[in-house]
Amino acid sequence: VDLGALGLVCSKEEAAVLARTIEEMPFKKIKGLKHVDLDQLLAKVIKFYIEGIKGKIEDIEAEFHKYDMDNSASLNRTEFNTMIESWGHRLSTEELDDLFEEINGE
């Protein structure tokens, strides 16, 4: 869903939540039309997206910790390969080494 003038793109579910949030905002009637304060609207939109980002970060952290078997706060090659394979990808030893080195800046 493209929220046009705001320059935002989101899923239908996110758009529905955002729309409900906006509908709950206080508004003024001017000449019979509803008006919402722009600052309040932008604050709500920003809060909505920040909460979504926090949720995605939490999901990534949970996925990471699922494969950090030695609780080292890092993934060794074996743990990393197990994670990649769980996502349905099979890498050759060379591909795994290349990817692992690229991520680690080696």
Side-chain angles (χ1 to χ4, degrees), residues 29-97:
K29 273 198 165 182
I30 301 174
K31 296 184 182 178
L33 298 174
K34 289 183 180 181
H35 288 260
V36 176
D37 181 77
L38 178 61
D39 291 337
Q40 288 179 0
L41 173 62
L42 292 176
K44 294 274 187 184
V45 170
I46 290 168
K47 182 180 177 188
F48 174 80
Y49 276 96
I50 287 173
E51 288 173 0
I53 290 168
K54 285 180 183 175
K56 287 177 177 43
I57 290 171
E58 290 168 0
D59 292 346
I60 291 168
E61 288 175 344
E63 185 74 5
F64 176 88
H65 290 296
K66 188 164 64 172
Y67 296 99
D68 182 18
M69 303 312 275
D70 59 2
N71 296 314
S72 64
S74 64
L75 298 181
N76 62 37
R77 276 183 166 76
T78 302
E79 294 166 333
F80 183 74
N81 190 45
T82 302
M83 181 181 70
I84 296 295
E85 286 180 348
S86 77
W87 297 342
H89 302 286
R90 182 105 176 118
L91 301 176
S92 69
T93 302
E94 184 179 342
E95 291 171 324
L96 177 62
D97 289 345

